[in-house]
Amino acid sequence: MAPSEIALLKTCTHYFLHLVFPVFIALVFYPKNWKKVYLILLATMLVDLDHLFANPIFDPSRESIGFHFLHSYYAIALYFLLLFFKGNVRIVAIGLLLHMLTDYQDFNFWPH
């Protein structure tokens, strides 16, 4: 596979996991309120605001996990603990953990 094809597949996978996969989570686990749940899951992408404190803001050779403060291992542990709450807090935790998993695979499973 050509490097440009790999880059396209990596980008498509990244945005699929950020934008499309949450629809499936919402539909399967929260069918009655799937639209609200999907919006909450999308809102958890605001966790990327911590990238604004880095210089440069985006560096393809830098892993987000463990570098940005909202992507730190301490933050991820907190997101995991939030799974044990009910309601919207659990949905936020699911979204944040999915975001961390997406960022992890984006750096570790693809060449860069």
Side-chain angles (χ1 to χ4, degrees):
M1 198 177 269
S4 62
E5 292 172 326
I6 292 173
L8 178 63
L9 187 57
K10 175 183 174 180
T11 300
C12 289
T13 301
H14 183 88
Y15 287 106
F16 172 83
L17 290 172
H18 273 323
L19 302 172
V20 180
F21 190 67
V23 172
F24 296 113
I25 292 173
L27 287 170
V28 170
F29 295 104
Y30 301 92
K32 291 183 181 178
N33 297 317
W34 74 270
K35 290 177 188 175
K36 173 187 165 190
V37 170
Y38 177 64
L39 290 175
I40 292 171
L41 292 172
L42 284 182
T44 62
M45 285 196 292
L46 290 171
V47 73
D48 274 341
L49 288 173
D50 64 354
H51 289 246
L52 297 175
F53 295 96
N55 187 13
I57 291 173
F58 175 72
D59 180 358
S61 65
R62 178 179 65 214
E63 183 174 8
S64 295
I65 306 299
F67 182 82
H68 303 291
F69 61 91
L70 294 177
H71 291 67
S72 69
Y73 295 106
Y74 295 112
I76 293 170
L78 175 65
Y79 305 154
F80 181 78
L81 290 175
L82 293 176
L83 285 174
F84 296 99
F85 289 79
K86 292 185 179 185
N88 292 343
V89 174
R90 181 177 291 162
I91 297 166
V92 168
I94 292 167
L96 291 169
L97 290 171
L98 176 61
H99 185 99
M100 298 303 130
L101 181 65
T102 299
D103 285 0
Y104 179 82
Q105 70 80 34
D106 196 46
F107 186 82
N108 291 292
F109 294 171
W110 300 94
H112 44 84

